[in-house]
């Protein structure tokens, strides 16, 4: 079956053609070896590290390559909590499962975790965060951009507070990376993932500010500053760096323009509502249709070759309403009526047109059957 419209870019993105080529041409040898193929692999990895670092305004020895966003989140949270004094971590209820899962593990190990509430638009309360920090607090982990609502947390402001209070700050920047600029000065740890930016799956990075104490969560060789053992995924890392290079700051402007027109037309459907704030990341749009079962709508769209998500992909199997939409105060019913559309720089007007027409028709039909 042919894909008519792919609007699930927050789940994963298509690998860019240039990235495919870079992966194919990447050295295959083990970068830890001393012969020349090994040295070529080492050089390719060095260049890739430089490229990712310079995009962030970081030094290359502050970049640890991992297997993706999930591992970066786990390494940041478990690694920071285990290596530093204190037994309390602060996060938010709307975080990605990778962060919430790592926090649950810390609770199993006897640490305390505060899960901050958010307002109707998904923002944490800065005063509430500040007063939650105690002498026992070791780490604050608040995501940059929410993967379901597109909410952009004021992470630079949060970072300042953490710095002033002397606690570490981690941000899951998987959805915002390359789309939004971020001042790293107060950020100690930051997670990135390759497959959300047209790179390959199974590779990502953790930014670790110089001097940040972190414990490895896997044991083996001394790769990646001793923080991540295992022979490096050189082709994946080269592909990731190529994807970073291909992502231009101007992409966000064009994507946002497309999304705005798309949102306007979808919201013309009677009894539809927007989830998340008006001002949000360029590529995410979360809309509910009153009385409609989002899973059912998704299946009808799928039958027409239109790919979207009802909730985050990792929660897709569950019939539970999204924990993010619940946290912003939606009823179970409204949460189950909500669909996420996510765009990329490859999204076309035509795809959006097909999707609007299909949604109008299907929503009307499903309502007429009720
Ligand atoms: C996709 C995603 C992750 C997980 O990244 P993987 O590379 O798939 O492990 C983590 N956080 C956010 C916000 C995401 O959107």
């Amino acid at each position: 079956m042919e894909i008519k419209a792919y609007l699930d870019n927050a789940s994963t993105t298509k690998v860019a053609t240039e990235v495919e080529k870079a992966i194919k041409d990447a050295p295959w040898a083990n970068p830890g070896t001393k012969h020349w193929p090994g040295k070529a692999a080492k050089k390719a990895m060095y260049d890739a590290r430089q490229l990712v670092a310079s995009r962030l305004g970081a030094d290359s020895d502050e970049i640890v390559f991992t297997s993706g966003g999930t591992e970066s989140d786990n390494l940041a949270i478990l690694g920071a909590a285990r290596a530093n004094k204190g037994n309390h971590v602060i996060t938010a209820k709307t975080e990605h499962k990778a962060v919430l899962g790592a926090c649950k593990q810390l609770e199993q190990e006897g640490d305390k975790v505060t899960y901050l509430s958010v307002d109707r638009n998904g923002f944490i309360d800065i005063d509430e965060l500040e007063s939650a920090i105690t002498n026992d607090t070791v780490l604050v982990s608040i995501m940059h951009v929410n993967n379901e609502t597109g909410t952009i947390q004021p992470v630079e402001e949060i970072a300042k507070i953490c710095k002033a209070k002397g606690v570490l700050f981690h941000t899951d920047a998987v959805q915002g990376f390359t789309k939004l600029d971020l001042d790293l000065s107060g950020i100690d740890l930051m997670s990135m993932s390759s497959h959300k930016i047209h790179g390959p799956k199974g590779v990502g990075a953790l930014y670790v500010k110089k001097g940040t104490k972190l414990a490895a969560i896997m044991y083996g060789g001394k790769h990646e500053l001793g923080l991540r053992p295992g022979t490096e995924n050189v082709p994946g890392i080269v592909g990731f760096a190529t994807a970073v290079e291909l992502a231009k700051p101007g992409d966000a402007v064009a994507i946002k323009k497309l999304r705005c027109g798309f949102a306007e037309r979808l919201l013309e459907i009677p009894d539809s509502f927007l989830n998340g704030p008006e001002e949000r990341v360029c590529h995410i749009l979360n809309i509910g249709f009153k009385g409609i079962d989002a899973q059912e709508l998704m299946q009808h769209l799928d039958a027409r070759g239109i790919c979207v998500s009802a909730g985050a992909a990792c929660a897709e199997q569950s019939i539970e309403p999204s924990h993010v939409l619940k946290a912003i105060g939606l009823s179970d019913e409204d949460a189950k009526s909500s669909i996420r559309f996510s765009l990329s720089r490859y999204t076309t007007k035509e795809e959006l047109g097909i999707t609007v027409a299909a949604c109008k028709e299907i929503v009307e039909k499903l309502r007429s059957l009720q």
Side-chain angles (χ1 to χ4, degrees):
M1 187 169 157
E2 196 195 341
I3 297 178
K4 290 274 171 36
Y6 182 76
L7 297 175
D8 200 13
N9 289 282
S11 301
T12 197
T13 57
K14 195 179 78 176
V15 178
T17 321
E18 299 90 330
V19 171
E20 274 175 359
K21 183 169 184 328
I23 293 170
K24 215 166 131 255
D25 295 345
W28 52 266
N30 187 329
T33 54
K34 297 277 187 262
H35 43 63
W36 72 261
K39 282 180 183 161
K42 191 174 176 180
K43 168 78 167 63
M45 217 170 63
Y46 176 84
D47 291 345
R49 202 184 303 278
Q50 288 274 89
L51 204 145
V52 174
S54 72
R55 182 63 175 248
L56 296 177
D59 287 339
S60 56
D61 60 355
E62 295 177 308
I63 303 297
V64 173
F65 288 118
T66 65
S67 68
T70 300
E71 187 189 331
S72 295
D73 286 342
N74 274 270
L75 176 57
I77 293 167
L78 299 174
R82 289 171 185 166
N84 295 279
K85 247 183 71 194
N87 60 1
H88 176 228
V89 170
I90 300 170
T91 187
K93 289 181 179 161
T94 48
E95 291 293 319
H96 191 271
K97 293 283 181 193
V99 165
L100 295 176
C103 287
K104 284 270 163 330
Q105 176 57 29
L106 285 178
E107 286 184 290
Q108 291 287 318
E109 293 172 17
D111 286 356
K112 282 197 289 288
V113 180
T114 301
Y115 299 90
L116 296 173
S117 297
V118 298
D119 67 15
R120 191 72 203 180
N121 284 323
F123 293 105
I124 62 159
D125 182 325
I126 299 286
D127 294 333
E128 203 179 316
L129 165 70
E130 198 162 1
S131 51
I133 298 174
T134 69
N135 287 336
D136 295 327
T137 309
V138 52
L139 175 77
V140 171
S141 177
I142 301 290
M143 74 202 313
H144 186 203
V145 171
N146 185 272
N147 50 301
E148 291 191 43
T149 59
T151 305
I152 305 167
Q153 297 286 359
V155 287
E156 285 159 2
E157 200 182 333
I158 296 168
K160 271 193 204 124
I161 291 169
C162 293
K163 207 167 183 186
K165 295 260 188 183
V167 302
L168 292 170
F169 178 55
H170 163 250
T171 189
D172 175 336
V174 168
Q175 291 291 343
F177 180 50
T178 71
K179 295 188 175 77
L180 292 167
D181 285 331
L182 207 50
D183 173 12
L184 281 185
S185 56
I187 297 172
D188 301 295
L189 299 153
M190 184 170 101
S191 304
M192 292 155 273
S193 175
S194 154
H195 75 99
K196 305 288 174 84
I197 61 161
H198 305 288
K201 286 161 199 44
V203 58
L206 180 67
Y207 161 78
V208 183
K209 191 189 282 307
K210 242 178 261 159
T212 308
K213 271 210 299 193
L214 206 60
I217 56 173
M218 289 197 291
Y219 307 95
K222 293 219 177 327
H223 314 76
E224 299 296 309
L225 309 169
L227 288 172
R228 209 281 177 171
T231 304
E232 300 87 341
N233 174 6
V234 181
I237 289 167
V238 167
F240 177 31
T242 308
V244 171
E245 201 173 14
L246 285 170
K248 299 285 180 279
D251 294 345
V253 181
I255 296 169
K256 185 169 184 176
K257 202 166 157 226
L258 277 179
R259 189 208 67 202
C260 286
F262 179 53
E264 232 167 70
R265 282 182 295 158
L266 278 178
L267 288 167
E268 280 169 7
I269 296 175
D271 295 317
S272 55
F273 55 92
L274 173 71
N275 295 316
E278 201 61 54
E279 271 307 313
R280 61 190 184 279
V281 79
C282 61
H283 64 298
I284 293 178
L285 174 64
N286 197 311
I287 287 189
F289 302 100
K290 288 266 181 199
I292 296 290
D293 175 7
Q295 294 290 346
E296 211 177 329
L297 173 55
M298 191 211 67
Q299 282 160 19
H300 281 279
L301 290 169
D302 185 40
R304 297 179 186 211
I306 300 169
C307 310
V308 301
S309 268
C314 14
E316 199 95 313
Q317 281 82 3
S318 73
I319 43 158
E320 286 299 303
S322 142
H323 72 283
V324 174
L325 298 182
K326 290 287 289 170
I328 67 170
L330 259 65
S331 63
D332 280 8
E333 206 187 353
D334 281 352
K336 286 182 174 178
S337 303
S338 295
I339 288 249
R340 179 185 69 188
F341 304 89
S342 46
L343 289 65
S344 82
R345 64 169 181 268
Y346 297 116
T347 302
T348 63
K349 269 194 171 151
E350 198 193 349
E351 286 178 288
L352 299 178
I354 293 170
T355 307
V356 170
C359 284
K360 277 195 174 139
E361 213 182 295
I362 297 163
V363 166
E364 200 172 302
K365 188 170 160 217
L366 291 176
R367 280 182 179 152
S368 74
L369 296 174
Q370 280 167 1

